[in-house]
Amino acid sequence: MPVSQLSFGLLIFPGVWDWYLQWREQRRGFYTKWEEDMLTASLVRALQSLSPSQSPRLPLAKRIPGRQDAPALVHGINLMTVTVILGPEYDKTLRTTVMDVMGQLGASVESRIWSVAGSQEIETVQARLAGQQIIIEAESYIGLSITGDEDMINEISERVRQANQTTPT
């Protein structure tokens, strides 16, 4: 196809997505968060299109603690993993509270990475708690998020909420 006729509209075709994602992974050796999110969104849409008899145990109706109107974001391929946005990424008190709660629960920090892309700053902390990986991300325009096992994230979110007397969104 001539380059002049290429557009993002081609991404409606699954074969184009397959080619694009393979090309990006081969080029870099890994998927970016955006590519992971696109794969997850596609998987969730496909699973939601199944009838209840085809998918009786799929956990697609997860909710953010304290918010019955807001579905939790599903992150990665494991649908038992949830992401909760705890608040704004620039809230230093919130960031300190999250790390304090993690410390009280016995979490150990495995890595801390800070990066910048254009006007967006991203800090990612990978921690281990009770054998489970927890990812805390502070991302401009997104907020302070925490990702991991649903029960563990609910416990951490509740403790953070109690400590700050705010409700995660």
Side-chain angles (χ1 to χ4, degrees):
M1 175 177 279
V3 173
S4 63
Q5 292 185 344
L6 295 177
S7 74
F8 279 110
L10 291 170
L11 294 177
I12 66 168
F13 300 107
V16 174
W17 266 107
D18 185 46
W19 168 82
Y20 173 75
L21 291 171
Q22 285 183 32
W23 175 73
R24 296 287 291 213
E25 182 184 24
Q26 287 172 356
R27 197 168 161 217
R28 245 190 257 103
F30 59 91
Y31 289 128
T32 64
K33 179 146 175 40
W34 180 82
E35 291 155 353
E36 286 179 8
D37 290 346
M38 293 300 103
L39 285 167
T40 301
S42 298
L43 176 63
V44 169
R45 275 190 221 102
L47 292 173
Q48 286 174 329
S49 69
L50 298 174
S51 70
S53 64
Q54 293 172 302
S55 58
R57 292 186 207 88
L58 293 176
L60 295 176
K62 300 290 181 216
R63 299 275 172 200
I64 294 174
R67 292 286 310 271
Q68 295 308 311
D69 60 324
L73 303 173
V74 180
H75 184 273
I77 301 303
N78 178 358
L79 293 178
M80 296 307 289
T81 299
V82 296
T83 297
V84 174
I85 307 296
L86 298 167
E89 77 282 357
Y90 54 81
D91 186 338
K92 294 196 184 305
T93 302
L94 177 61
R95 290 173 115 176
T96 300
T97 302
V98 171
M99 295 312 292
D100 288 348
V101 165
M102 294 287 289
Q104 292 165 6
L105 292 171
S108 61
V109 173
E110 294 181 332
S111 70
R112 186 180 298 257
I113 301 167
W114 180 85
S115 59
V116 65
S119 63
Q120 216 168 352
E121 289 184 40
I122 303 170
E123 181 180 9
T124 303
V125 175
Q126 290 185 359
R128 186 142 312 266
L129 177 58
Q132 302 279 334
Q133 184 179 48
I134 303 291
I135 298 173
I136 302 164
E137 287 186 315
E139 185 173 353
S140 301
Y141 314 115
I142 303 291
L144 182 65
S145 66
I146 186 165
T147 301
D149 173 75
E150 179 185 17
D151 293 334
M152 201 166 289
I153 296 304
N154 289 345
E155 173 71 18
I156 294 166
S157 298
E158 180 59 25
R159 287 181 181 224
V160 169
R161 185 193 66 74
Q162 289 173 357
N164 281 351
Q165 294 300 309
T166 61
T167 303
T169 58

